[in-house]
């Protein structure tokens, strides 16, 4: 159990480190993300020797393939995370501060919002959730491999922007993100079912991201 | 005691000098502000108005000169420091988060929660904050139809009103406004000036930085002119005229 939890904590620490690089060292978020993307994946390949790890205890597969009252465990985990995040965003100071930084970072800073700590907190939470997602994915695949999550970073961005989150303007909600995730899930699953190759799906995701952001900009310029 | 307090300035700045490298922004500027007074601060661009206010609020530190707050010699080290003493500055574009509603903006950075567990999680007490915002706006006679609308959907005047309410929400004694009417229509300007008058009635002093002399003459008790970093005029509104002030500003 401890070994699995440690994966979540590793994510949390890496996220917090990224957050410190952004909030304290002043690096652009995009660069920090890309740099860590490369460095962390490199470390994972070094530690695993580039080979999949398959000797997992049988009970570990419960996380990815188990069921509770016929509901798959990954769905239950996702549901709980969605509810938790929705509550954080709408009902707590932390969430309010996140929105205010997105809306007007200077105003937030001047109003006494702890901007740096809030940013680090967001990155740390983000990292912890990636750790959790990795746990589920590894359990589903019944093997751990350093490149298992490749492509998910863009899928998650696509789901978020389809859900109407305006990048860098403090707009968006967890409920809408949920709809975005469902839409992306239906889309990729549908494309799989009608035998569209993953290569075309990658093209589709690129088009979707650019298109969703473009439409969002059109809408916000109008108002 | 009370009378005595009325006659001593709340803020006094003497001989403030501030340079940025080779540029002398302030060259011995003086300023005083009485309790419940509206002071108009005017001057050409780069006359040093903003720098003087930044020295007062602790954004910049003066190279020399004294600042007294309630007769106590005092330098503020940061805007946080001066806010604690009740000096609030409303910046032109830094005041509000456009994606949040009125209540969230008024309480931004000072959100309220209640109860031990809820406090621990930072759980927002929206009812309490909503109620207090309503009371605050009533006290300042600010009329805003809905407190739950994002401020970006409001008119410029309403946004300015929210920014002012925000500034005085927490026992502000001095409010510094940087061009509060610059972007407003005539009707809205009148409303903002009314709010400034109301602040004075509520015992708050106001320093009004403005290019619109008409606005300053409408609402201020006293007007002060900065030129090239020096205070060159300080006159009661009833003893001066716009022509005189314009001459001071341009150096005629």
């Amino acid at each position: 159990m401890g070994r699995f939890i440690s994966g979540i904590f590793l994510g949390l620490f890496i996220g917090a480190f990224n957050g410190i690089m952004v909030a304290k060292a002043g690096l652009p978020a995009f660069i920090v993300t890309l740099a860590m993307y490369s460095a962390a994946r490199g470390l994972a390949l070094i530690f695993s020797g580039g080979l999949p790890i398959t000797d997992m205890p049988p009970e570990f597969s419960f996380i990815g393939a188990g069921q509770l009252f016929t509901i798959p465990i990954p769905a239950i985990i996702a549901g709980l995370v969605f509810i938790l995040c929705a509550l954080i965003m709408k009902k707590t100071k932390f969430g309010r501060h996140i929105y205010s930084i997105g809306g007007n970072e200077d105003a937030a800073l001047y109003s006494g919002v702890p901007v740096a700590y809030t940013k680090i907190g967001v990155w740390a939470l983000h990292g912890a959730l990636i750790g959790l997602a990795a746990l589920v994915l590894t359990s589903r695949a019944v093997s751990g491999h350093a490149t298992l999550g490749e492509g998910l970073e863009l899928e998650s961005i696509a789901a978020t922007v389809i859900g109407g989150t305006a990048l860098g303007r403090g707009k968006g909600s967890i409920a809408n993100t949920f709809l975005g995730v469902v839409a992306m899930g239906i889309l990729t699953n549908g494309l799989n079912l009608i035998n569209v190759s993953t290569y075309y799906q990658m093209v589709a995701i690129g088009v979707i991201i650019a298109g969703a952001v473009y439409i969002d900009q059109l809408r916000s310029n109008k108002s | 005691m009370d009378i005595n307090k009325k006659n001593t300035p709340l803020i006094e700045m003497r001989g403030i000098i501030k340079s940025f490298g080779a540029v002398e922004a302030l060259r011995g500027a003086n300023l005083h502000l009485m309790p419940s007074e509206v002071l108009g601060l005017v001057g050409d661009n780069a006359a040093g108005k903003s720098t003087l206010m930044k020295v007062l609020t602790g954004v910049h530190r003066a190279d020399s000169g004294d600042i007294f707050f309630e007769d106590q010699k005092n330098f503020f080290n940061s805007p946080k420091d001066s806010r604690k003493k009740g000096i609030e500055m409303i910046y032109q574009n830094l005041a509000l988060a456009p994606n949040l509603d009125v209540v969230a903006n008024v309480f931004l950075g000072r959100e309220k929660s209640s109860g031990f567990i809820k406090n621990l999680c930072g759980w927002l007490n929206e009812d309490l904050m909503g109620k207090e915002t309503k009371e605050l706006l009533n006290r300042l006679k600010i009329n805003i139809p809905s407190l739950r609308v994002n401020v970006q959907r409001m008119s410029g005047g309403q946004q300015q009103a929210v920014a002012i309410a925000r500034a005085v929400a927490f026992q502000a004694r001095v409010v510094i406004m940087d061009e509060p009417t610059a972007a407003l229509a005539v009707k809205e300007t009148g409303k903002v000036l009314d709010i400034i008058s109301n602040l004075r009635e509520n015992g708050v002093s106001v320093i009004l930085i403005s290019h619109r002399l008409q606005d300053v003459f409408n609402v201020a008790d006293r007007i002060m002119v900065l030129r090239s970093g020096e205070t060159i005029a300080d006159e009661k509104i009833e003893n001066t005229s716009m022509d005189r002030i314009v001459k001071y500003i341009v150096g005629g």
Side-chain angles (χ1 to χ4, degrees):
Chain A
M1 188 68 189
R3 273 185 293 171
F4 306 143
I5 300 294
S6 67
I8 297 174
F9 273 97
L10 181 64
L12 187 137
F13 287 130
I14 290 176
F17 179 80
N18 278 352
I20 291 166
M21 297 309 277
V22 171
K24 294 287 190 188
L27 294 176
F30 185 63
I31 295 300
V32 168
T33 313
L34 274 182
M36 183 56 82
Y37 172 82
S38 175
R41 184 153 291 165
L43 284 175
L45 285 166
I46 291 167
F47 290 138
S48 65
L51 299 170
I53 297 165
T54 48
D55 54 337
M56 310 242 175
E59 62 271 22
F60 180 57
S61 66
F62 181 74
I63 300 174
Q67 287 190 343
L68 194 70
F69 308 119
T70 72
I71 306 170
I73 296 292
I76 292 173
I77 293 175
L80 289 177
V81 168
F82 268 114
I83 290 168
L84 179 75
C85 288
L87 290 176
I88 288 174
M89 291 304 284
K90 292 289 180 204
K91 299 289 184 188
T92 71
K93 286 184 194 181
F94 181 54
R96 178 64 46 86
H97 291 167
I98 293 170
Y99 276 111
S100 72
I101 292 169
N104 186 344
E105 184 168 342
D106 290 327
L109 191 64
Y110 184 72
S111 305
V113 170
V115 171
Y117 286 112
T118 305
K119 281 187 179 176
I120 294 169
V122 171
W123 285 86
L125 178 62
H126 174 229
L129 291 178
I130 290 173
L132 180 63
L135 207 60
V136 174
L137 190 60
T138 306
S139 168
R140 270 182 80 78
V142 207
S143 80
H145 195 270
T147 57
L148 201 54
E150 211 153 63
L152 288 182
E153 67 287 331
L154 285 176
E155 256 184 73
S156 56
I157 293 175
T160 314
V161 293
I162 285 180
T165 300
L167 300 177
R169 266 179 287 128
K171 258 190 280 178
S173 73
I174 298 293
N176 286 345
T177 302
F178 176 75
L179 295 179
V181 169
V182 169
M184 276 303 291
I186 291 171
L187 184 75
T188 50
N189 199 25
L191 291 174
N192 280 338
L193 288 179
I194 57 171
N195 273 329
V196 176
S197 104
T198 39
Y199 303 154
Y200 285 99
Q201 291 188 27
M202 284 163 71
V203 175
I205 284 171
V207 171
I208 287 167
I209 292 177
V213 172
Y214 180 66
I215 290 169
D216 177 67
Q217 280 181 351
L218 281 187
R219 274 191 351 204
S220 74
N221 285 347
K222 233 188 241 168
S223 66
Chain B
M1 181 66 197
D2 235 357
I3 294 161
N4 195 16
K5 237 184 177 170
K6 278 250 145 134
N7 289 326
T8 56
L10 192 58
I11 291 174
E12 193 162 10
M13 304 175 81
R14 286 190 205 143
I16 303 293
I17 294 175
K18 174 76 191 171
S19 305
F20 297 99
V23 182
E24 276 190 303
L26 294 173
R27 298 192 280 190
N30 301 312
L31 175 147
H32 72 277
L33 181 70
M34 305 299 284
S36 306
E37 182 185 47
V38 178
L39 170 67
L41 179 57
V42 299
D44 213 348
N45 292 332
K49 295 168 299 194
S50 297
T51 310
L52 187 64
M53 290 304 101
K54 282 178 178 167
V55 167
L56 175 60
T57 53
V59 176
H60 297 318
R61 192 162 183 135
D63 299 331
S64 77
D66 293 319
I67 301 177
F68 297 88
F69 185 73
E70 292 189 304
D71 272 349
Q72 297 230 333
K73 201 166 170 173
N74 214 329
F75 264 108
F76 300 115
N77 293 316
S78 70
K80 222 177 188 174
D81 222 21
S82 59
R83 285 184 112 196
K84 267 189 203 149
K85 294 277 184 184
I87 302 176
E88 289 275 355
M89 171 120 191
I90 303 173
Y91 293 97
Q92 270 165 299
N93 297 317
L94 301 183
L96 300 173
N99 57 335
L100 298 180
D101 65 23
V102 179
V103 177
N105 266 293
V106 166
F107 279 90
L108 185 59
R110 307 177 265 209
E111 293 85 357
K112 294 204 167 177
S113 48
S114 61
F116 180 70
I117 303 274
K118 288 186 171 179
N119 228 335
L120 226 54
C121 314
W123 201 263
L124 297 168
N125 190 336
E126 293 283 3
D127 292 342
L128 181 65
M129 290 193 287
K131 198 173 133 259
E132 290 191 7
T133 304
K134 209 171 220 167
E135 286 167 8
L136 173 75
L137 295 181
N138 284 340
R139 189 153 55 84
L140 298 173
K141 301 191 179 113
I142 295 172
N143 185 20
I144 286 171
S146 170
L147 302 183
R148 291 297 174 190
V149 173
N150 288 354
V151 294
Q152 68 195 357
R153 297 196 181 279
M154 301 176 142
S155 70
Q158 284 176 326
Q159 291 189 14
Q160 197 60 248
V162 173
I164 295 169
R166 217 197 96 68
V168 297
F170 303 90
Q171 280 88 42
R173 304 176 60 193
V174 178
V175 176
I176 304 164
M177 297 183 201
D178 191 2
E179 301 284 358
T181 56
L184 302 185
V186 178
K187 199 175 145 202
E188 300 216 290
T189 299
K191 278 186 184 160
V192 169
L193 297 182
D194 285 346
I195 296 168
I196 294 174
S197 300
N198 273 322
L199 291 183
R200 175 172 45 201
E201 258 123 69
N202 278 282
V204 178
S205 301
V206 177
I207 299 176
L208 173 63
I209 302 174
S210 184
H211 275 98
R212 292 193 180 178
L213 284 184
Q214 187 69 55
D215 294 350
V216 176
F217 272 76
N218 266 335
V219 75
D221 302 302
R222 197 153 53 79
I223 187 161
M224 203 190 106
V225 184
L226 274 180
R227 194 170 73 214
S228 310
E230 277 178 287
T231 309
I232 57 160
D234 185 344
E235 300 183 345
K236 295 222 155 169
I237 290 290
E238 60 260 33
N239 301 334
T240 190
S241 68
M242 268 194 231
D243 286 346
R244 264 170 77 98
I245 297 296
V246 169
K247 277 182 188 148
Y248 284 130
I249 293 173
V250 299

